[in-house]
Amino acid sequence: MREKKLKNIFVNGAVSAQAIADSIQKHHSKTNIGAHSIFLGQVRADQIGEQQVTGINYTAYEEMALEKMYEIREAIFEKYELTCMHIHHSLGLVAAGEICLFVFTSSGHRKAAMQACDELVERIKAELPIWGKEILTDESHQWKENK
Amino acid sequence: MREKKLKNIFVNGAVSAQAIADSIQKHHSKTNIGAHSIFLGQVRADQIGEQQVTGINYTAYEEMALEKMYEIREAIFEKYELTCMHIHHSLGLVAAGEICLFVFTSSGHRKAAMQACDELVERIKAELPIWGKEILTDESHQWKENK
Amino acid sequence: MKVEILLFGRLTELLGQSRLQLEDMADTNSVSKRLLDQYPALQHIRYQIAVNQEIIHGNKPLTDGMTVALMPPFSGG
Amino acid sequence: MKVEILLFGRLTELLGQSRLQLEDMADTNSVSKRLLDQYPALQHIRYQIAVNQEIIHGNKPLTDGMTVALMPPFSGG
């Protein structure tokens, strides 16, 4: 078995705007980068009958998600000319209006970063074993399902 | 002539990571948003023969750029179901490694924000009367051209 | 021969636990059948099965110490 | 009859100014011709023309007070 380094993608609770800024800031020293593409998933206060979503509680099959993410990361680096790629996903409760997913790709020219970011978002939603439990105003809940 | 409100897109010098964070932060109160898509253009320290690009000095035909941006903005809001759209472009000197373009779209579901962001970036580069003068290590310069 | 069963999402609610051990399970079909006998409401829930973190399709033989995860549709992001 | 000429990008260098006024210009072709006579290096530079902020194709008649912008290829973003 070849060695591989799994990178943790999970953060406890919401991804803060400050964490995003710090991540952007760190790339100012990489002067071969010409383009960054960022996707942020934000929890919506959807109306469910009489109730509203107040937050989503995320759980994951963490070991498998990190293995899968490793595989996706390798495939995307293979396919696009990227300089960097960063993924962060929340675990635990994220309130409506807060960020639960942060996908960040960088490249010399814009197409690679943009296409890689799009593909990452699709694959993360379809392939990572993560579950969101929507918490409603009356403290009942329902399980989210990605379409 | 109908009334129209031109929004300024120009900022003096680089767009800071902090300004981006502040902009993201402001959207936490909009709980109908489920997805944000962000594109950042960063100045590359390209090698030009013996020289390197140390920065780009941007100038624009500002009045026309804002008129054109108004037109593009209207067309994009017409075409995609967006909740918001923010565009910032630098004027003056932006050092290599710094951000010169910030495009930010938000929507309920991810496709609209992602596609609108991509289309905005393409149209901004192709249609806005903005010129970048690349400043080289020896203080000579050359005029950039978008492909 | 023991296998470890991991449950996720709504399955943790239905079974009241997120992890259990089963004995004498020759294959994944036996696991599904045993759990269905014990929790008939399982028939209403769609789930995929991963054995040692690999999603499987169809039936798969099990050996001692394997981990079988029952995973409802994902909803990350 | 006066029109205002705006210059951008490398054209400001070539002409040593970013703004000038020309008299008796009946159309945009006359503007191009007059500037080319004065600055022969212009023939090596591609540019688009905007009249009152609208990009034009071909020749366009001018009236008093119009603004004619000579714009090399854009390079924003």
Side-chain angles (χ1 to χ4, degrees):
Chain A
M1 293 230 297
R2 76 198 166 108
E3 255 191 279
K4 55 182 182 183
K5 204 178 146 234
L6 297 186
K7 278 177 83 173
N8 185 29
I9 63 167
F10 292 111
V11 298
N12 218 337
V15 178
S16 71
Q18 196 52 55
I20 297 165
D22 292 347
S23 192
I24 294 168
Q25 181 79 38
K26 275 185 205 150
H27 290 75
H28 289 348
S29 57
K30 299 202 176 173
T31 55
N32 57 333
I33 292 176
H36 303 288
S37 199
I38 294 175
F39 178 85
L40 303 174
Q42 182 167 301
V43 173
R44 275 193 318 274
D46 279 348
Q47 196 70 32
I48 313 284
E50 304 276 283
Q51 305 296 320
Q52 236 189 356
V53 173
T54 62
I56 297 182
N57 200 341
Y58 287 102
T59 50
Y61 184 1
E62 292 187 49
E63 302 88 328
M64 180 175 159
L66 297 186
E67 282 285 342
K68 193 75 203 170
M69 192 64 236
Y70 176 87
E71 213 179 274
I72 295 171
R73 189 187 302 272
E74 295 285 294
I76 296 285
F77 266 121
E78 184 84 11
K79 185 165 174 185
Y80 301 102
E81 258 196 61
L82 296 183
T83 53
C84 357
M85 178 194 310
H86 304 279
I87 318 285
H88 299 281
H89 196 294
S90 297
L91 287 184
L93 188 65
V94 180
E98 292 191 309
I99 308 279
C100 57
L101 173 61
F102 172 28
V103 177
F104 187 9
T105 53
S106 309
S107 56
H109 297 273
R110 69 185 178 283
K111 288 290 179 199
M114 293 165 98
Q115 289 168 1
C117 186
D118 285 12
E119 190 168 330
L120 276 167
V121 172
E122 297 308 316
R123 292 196 64 175
I124 286 167
K125 287 188 174 256
E127 299 177 37
L128 294 195
I130 300 176
W131 294 271
K133 186 167 78 168
E134 294 177 323
I135 314 295
L136 307 183
T137 331
D138 65 355
E139 288 172 33
S140 67
H141 67 262
Q142 65 174 24
W143 291 91
K144 207 175 153 245
E145 248 182 67
N146 285 346
K147 283 157 214 154
Chain B
M1 291 230 297
R2 75 197 166 109
E3 254 192 279
K4 55 183 183 184
K5 203 177 147 237
L6 296 186
K7 277 176 82 172
N8 186 28
I9 64 166
F10 292 112
V11 298
N12 217 337
V15 177
S16 71
Q18 196 52 55
I20 297 164
D22 292 347
S23 193
I24 293 168
Q25 181 79 38
K26 274 184 207 151
H27 290 76
H28 289 348
S29 57
K30 300 200 177 174
T31 54
N32 58 332
I33 292 175
H36 303 289
S37 198
I38 293 175
F39 178 85
L40 303 174
Q42 183 167 301
V43 173
R44 273 193 319 274
D46 279 347
Q47 196 70 31
I48 313 284
E50 305 273 285
Q51 306 296 319
Q52 237 188 355
V53 173
T54 62
I56 297 183
N57 199 340
Y58 287 102
T59 50
Y61 185 0
E62 293 185 48
E63 302 87 328
M64 180 174 160
L66 298 186
E67 282 284 344
K68 194 74 204 170
M69 191 65 237
Y70 176 87
E71 213 179 273
I72 295 172
R73 189 187 301 272
E74 295 284 294
I76 297 285
F77 266 122
E78 183 83 11
K79 185 166 173 184
Y80 300 102
E81 259 195 62
L82 296 182
T83 52
C84 358
M85 178 194 310
H86 303 279
I87 318 284
H88 300 280
H89 196 294
S90 297
L91 287 184
L93 189 64
V94 179
E98 293 191 309
I99 308 280
C100 57
L101 173 61
F102 172 29
V103 177
F104 187 10
T105 53
S106 309
S107 56
H109 297 272
R110 69 186 178 282
K111 288 288 179 201
M114 292 166 98
Q115 290 169 0
C117 186
D118 285 12
E119 190 168 330
L120 276 166
V121 171
E122 296 309 316
R123 293 197 65 177
I124 286 166
K125 287 188 173 255
E127 299 176 39
L128 294 196
I130 301 176
W131 294 271
K133 186 166 78 168
E134 294 178 322
I135 313 296
L136 307 183
T137 330
D138 65 355
E139 289 173 32
S140 68
H141 68 260
Q142 66 173 21
W143 291 91
K144 206 176 155 246
E145 249 182 64
N146 285 345
K147 283 156 215 157
Chain C
M1 208 208 65
K2 264 190 203 169
V3 292
E4 176 151 47
I5 312 299
L6 301 180
L7 303 164
F8 293 99
R10 68 174 78 237
L11 291 175
T12 59
E13 290 183 344
L14 189 74
L15 275 69
Q17 54 201 325
S18 61
R19 179 182 289 257
L20 60 134
Q21 292 201 328
L22 291 180
E23 308 245 354
D24 303 320
M25 294 286 113
D27 51 33
T28 51
N29 278 358
S30 319
V31 171
S32 298
K33 185 166 180 322
R34 167 84 68 91
L35 292 174
L36 186 59
D37 287 347
Q38 215 173 333
Y39 305 95
L42 259 183
Q43 68 182 301
H44 304 299
I45 298 186
R46 280 182 303 134
Y47 59 84
Q48 289 185 293
I49 293 179
V51 173
N52 290 353
Q53 301 179 23
E54 289 285 340
I55 289 177
I56 60 151
H57 302 279
N59 191 19
K60 163 129 183 156
L62 296 173
T63 58
D64 196 46
M66 278 183 160
T67 301
V68 178
L70 274 55
M71 309 186 299
F74 305 154
S75 49
Chain D
M1 207 206 68
K2 264 189 204 170
V3 294
E4 176 152 48
I5 313 298
L6 302 180
L7 304 162
F8 294 99
R10 68 174 78 236
L11 291 175
T12 59
E13 289 183 343
L14 190 72
L15 275 69
Q17 54 202 325
S18 60
R19 180 180 288 256
L20 61 133
Q21 292 201 328
L22 291 180
E23 309 244 355
D24 303 321
M25 295 286 112
D27 51 33
T28 52
N29 279 357
S30 319
V31 171
S32 298
K33 189 169 176 322
R34 165 85 67 91
L35 292 174
L36 186 59
D37 287 347
Q38 215 174 332
Y39 305 94
L42 259 183
Q43 67 182 301
H44 304 299
I45 298 188
R46 281 182 302 132
Y47 58 84
Q48 289 184 292
I49 293 179
V51 174
N52 289 354
Q53 302 179 23
E54 288 284 340
I55 289 178
I56 59 151
H57 302 279
N59 191 21
K60 160 127 187 161
L62 297 173
T63 59
D64 196 45
M66 278 182 160
T67 301
V68 178
L70 274 56
M71 308 186 298
F74 304 154
S75 50

